[in-house]
Amino acid sequence: MKDLHARTAFAIALVLLASTACGGGGGVPSASSALRPASVRIGDGAAARNLSGQYAGKVKDNVYGTGRATASLAQYKSTLGGSETIAFGSGSVKDSLALNLTGTALNGATVASSRKALCSFSTTAAYNTKTHILTGSYYAVNRCSGEKGTYALKHQCLYKGAGDDDIRPESGLKPC
């Protein structure tokens, strides 16, 4: 009898969880959508904006000059991470990024490996939801003393999640 009560309570908890994950809107969610919390579903209004995907643009660095950058960012809730390659006339730099998203503002750190050294940078950026351009700046916080720069990267495509709710054709961005 205790087993029956425990199973019933567990089933009710699952139904409530599924209802909460869908915003309680009364619709029947798909199985994969219902099992993912609302804050993880990329297309959900309560979740962080989907900034995952591929980017390309320019970087202006006070040491290396102007370069062309390509970046790939993955996202989980309000955290983004990924890699970036910047091609300068004198060579290339590879970065690893870890960023925190609040609204359309990003703050975090970049670790770059170049000919000089392995350097850490403080990074801030803003995402323009109309142009899909990520603009920001960085400055060295460990090694590479005095190095700083700015960047403007155009969002090329989105990394699509598992559900249909992650497709946002109104954004003008297509899945990668």
Side-chain angles (χ1 to χ4, degrees):
M1 190 65 145
K2 282 185 181 182
D3 241 3
L4 180 60
H5 289 297
R7 280 192 226 151
T8 303
F10 181 72
I12 291 170
L14 279 178
V15 169
L16 290 173
L17 177 63
S19 173
T20 303
C22 296
V28 177
S30 67
S32 65
S33 177
L35 294 176
R36 290 182 289 156
S39 61
V40 177
R41 288 183 289 136
I42 295 172
D44 190 350
R49 179 174 304 281
N50 181 7
L51 299 187
S52 70
Q54 297 173 4
Y55 292 79
K58 290 186 177 181
V59 174
K60 291 183 182 177
D61 187 274
N62 69 333
V63 173
Y64 292 101
T66 300
R68 300 279 315 153
T70 57
S72 178
L73 295 176
Q75 182 172 348
Y76 177 71
K77 295 185 181 184
S78 62
T79 303
L80 286 95
S83 63
E84 175 182 51
T85 301
I86 308 168
F88 293 103
S90 60
S92 65
V93 176
K94 295 196 181 291
D95 298 342
S96 295
L97 303 123
L99 304 165
N100 186 44
L101 174 64
T102 305
T104 57
L106 293 120
N107 292 292
T110 303
V111 176
S113 61
S114 66
R115 291 172 285 132
K116 275 175 50 174
L118 190 62
C119 308
S120 299
F121 296 87
S122 175
T123 304
T124 60
Y127 185 84
N128 185 313
T129 58
K130 293 190 188 324
T131 64
H132 309 292
I133 295 176
L134 183 65
T135 56
S137 62
Y138 58 90
Y139 62 91
V141 292
N142 185 19
R143 294 189 151 184
C144 299
S145 181
E147 187 173 349
K148 61 185 175 179
T150 59
Y151 54 91
L153 305 175
K154 174 89 169 144
H155 203 171
Q156 304 294 306
C157 59
L158 290 167
Y159 291 143
K160 184 186 163 319
D164 290 339
D165 53 347
D166 294 333
I167 299 172
R168 296 184 302 130
E170 76 282 358
S171 72
L173 295 170
K174 299 192 188 290
C176 296

